[in-house]
Amino acid sequence: MKAIAVEPGAGDPVVVEKPVPEPATGEALVRTLRVGVDGTDHEVIRGAHGELPAGSDRLVLGHEAVGVVEDPNGTDLERGDVVAPTVRRPPNGTNEYFERGEPDMAPEGAYLERGIVGAHGFMAEYFTSPAETLVPVPPELAELGFLVEPISITEKALEHAQAARSTIHWEPESAIVLGNGSLGLVTLAMFEEVLDIERTYCLGKRDRPDPSIDLIDDLGATYIDSRETSVPEIPDAHESMDLVYEATGYAKHPFDTVEALAPNGVGALVGVPDDWSFEIDGGRLHRELVLHNKALVGTVNSNRGHFEAAVDTLTSIPEWVTDDLVTGVYGLEEFERAFERNESVIKTAVEFDTR
């Protein structure tokens, strides 16, 4: 079978030949339909994130996948089921985090991540996966099932933000997404179309005309250009935010978030920055957190429950939003186009097969 693999930090992805995997006991064989490309893939490609599987010189990419069960292999799945795979796997059999159903809470060293850390991904014509890691997707959403994984990241972030305010009445009326990449935009769509937050904003660094800004406008949100208005200036320029969703990986933004939050507000941090030392007024930030009951929560990955919630959310996002969000789906013969990065690109995917 054909797969798309990379030697992290040493070149561009290439098509390689690999044998069709044999499912082990408890696993199913899945025929891949589509696999999304996101910022993490690009970090892996340039060698800034991730880890090769033991004994391999290349990593098969892809952690945002949807496929069709080809061989249930004695599991409760059925041939033809459309499924989206979760990402994390235990490194040595199992551990307490996986046994509790909380692989997303496992610390470094206690997990592998398909297509990212120590395990081959889903960007191949077939893959195998334990049945409990394969989340059913309605057949009518098969073409969009690769969006389940990124939506699940936001499902978890919102769950943790809500948990941080579970002791009080908290219904955010204002919210901002920092970052107008694909994850930021699908999150903005969730804020507008699913959560029905009254006033929404999105921070970016692009000039009009631009497809991401067009989508922000069409969603009814307000676009804020970070070159004109910095995050700490947002309360004066617009309003303080009940909820901030940071999806940039820009190391200053978590500290800026404290300044942008309204009293009792929560900042959910999902970006992963490179190392960077800079000065901050720690006393001021500490006071803001304490005197105004503000909170920051960091979150990474997601578990099966978040994937299941993401499937429900995907059914609620209007078709016009996903049409505008997904700017390119490419077959193997032109897979390189799925990895292009320019201002016309929002979300892309590689298509291996159709239902």
Side-chain angles (χ1 to χ4, degrees):
M1 69 170 185
K2 290 180 170 57
I4 297 173
V6 68
E7 184 180 349
D12 295 324
V14 296
V15 175
V16 299
E17 289 286 342
K18 296 182 75 70
V20 175
E22 292 281 344
T25 301
E27 292 185 335
L29 177 68
V30 179
R31 174 170 51 87
T32 309
L33 298 178
R34 290 179 174 181
V35 183
V37 176
D38 76 348
T40 300
D41 294 305
H42 288 284
E43 290 173 359
V44 171
I45 290 167
R46 65 185 176 92
H49 187 52
E51 179 183 323
L52 286 170
S56 298
D57 58 0
R58 283 194 176 101
L59 173 72
V60 176
L61 291 166
H63 58 281
E64 303 177 349
V66 62
V68 174
V69 174
E70 186 78 6
D71 178 7
N73 191 37
T75 67
D76 291 336
L77 297 166
E78 295 185 4
R79 191 174 190 275
D81 284 350
V82 180
V83 292
T86 64
V87 178
R88 284 194 172 178
R89 305 289 180 269
N92 296 300
T94 188
N95 58 47
E96 60 181 306
Y97 300 99
F98 287 83
E99 290 168 0
R100 291 198 301 258
E102 299 173 349
D104 53 310
M105 303 308 293
E108 285 186 83
Y111 62 84
L112 305 174
E113 287 182 328
R114 299 287 301 259
I116 306 172
V117 179
H120 289 303
F122 307 117
M123 208 168 272
E125 292 181 287
Y126 295 90
F127 63 86
T128 60
S129 197
E132 65 270 17
T133 68
L134 297 172
V135 178
V137 174
E140 63 270 21
L141 291 179
E143 291 186 345
L144 295 173
F146 65 94
L147 295 175
V148 169
E149 194 277 341
I151 292 173
S152 77
I153 299 299
T154 299
E155 295 285 357
K156 178 187 174 183
L158 295 176
E159 177 186 82
H160 283 221
Q162 185 66 56
R165 288 293 170 262
S166 59
T167 59
I168 63 172
H169 176 77
W170 187 69
E171 292 184 4
E173 297 180 356
S174 60
I176 185 169
V177 175
L178 307 184
N180 59 334
S182 59
L183 179 58
L185 291 173
V186 77
T187 300
L188 186 67
M190 292 170 64
F191 287 176
E192 284 281 352
E193 302 293 334
V194 182
L195 300 179
D196 197 27
I197 295 176
E198 187 174 334
R199 301 178 303 280
T200 59
Y201 304 80
C202 187
L203 183 89
K205 194 167 64 175
R206 291 188 177 184
D207 297 318
R208 298 176 186 272
D210 179 88
S212 69
I213 302 175
D214 291 342
L215 181 52
I216 293 166
D217 291 342
D218 291 343
L219 283 167
T222 299
Y223 174 65
I224 300 175
D225 189 329
S226 64
R227 296 166 297 184
E228 299 173 359
T229 306
S230 67
V231 175
E233 293 171 332
I234 288 173
D236 288 334
H238 298 277
E239 63 178 308
S240 297
M241 300 294 160
D242 297 323
L243 174 63
V244 176
Y245 184 95
E246 183 280 313
T248 63
Y250 182 62
K252 286 187 175 181
H253 276 166
F255 306 98
D256 293 341
T257 290
V258 178
E259 306 269 13
L261 285 171
N264 306 317
V266 182
L269 315 178
V270 303
V272 181
D274 294 329
D275 290 347
W276 182 19
S277 297
F278 50 87
E279 291 186 359
I280 61 170
D281 186 340
R284 174 178 172 80
L285 296 179
H286 194 162
R287 287 196 306 276
E288 282 293 312
L289 289 166
V290 173
L291 297 181
H292 298 290
N293 293 299
K294 299 179 181 182
L296 297 179
V297 295
T299 173
V300 66
N301 197 252
S302 52
N303 62 41
R304 183 184 175 98
H306 303 125
F307 270 70
E308 292 170 344
V311 173
D312 291 339
T313 292
L314 185 57
T315 65
S316 301
I317 295 177
E319 185 177 349
W320 72 263
V321 175
T322 53
D323 285 347
D324 287 354
L325 181 73
V326 180
T327 51
V329 177
Y330 305 99
L332 270 175
E333 69 282 356
E334 54 176 354
F335 81 91
E336 297 93 343
R337 295 187 63 189
F339 292 90
E340 292 176 357
R341 307 184 83 176
N342 58 60
E343 293 189 352
S344 67
V345 172
I346 299 178
K347 185 68 178 177
T348 62
V350 178
E351 183 172 77
F352 287 85
D353 207 347
T354 60
R355 285 189 68 232

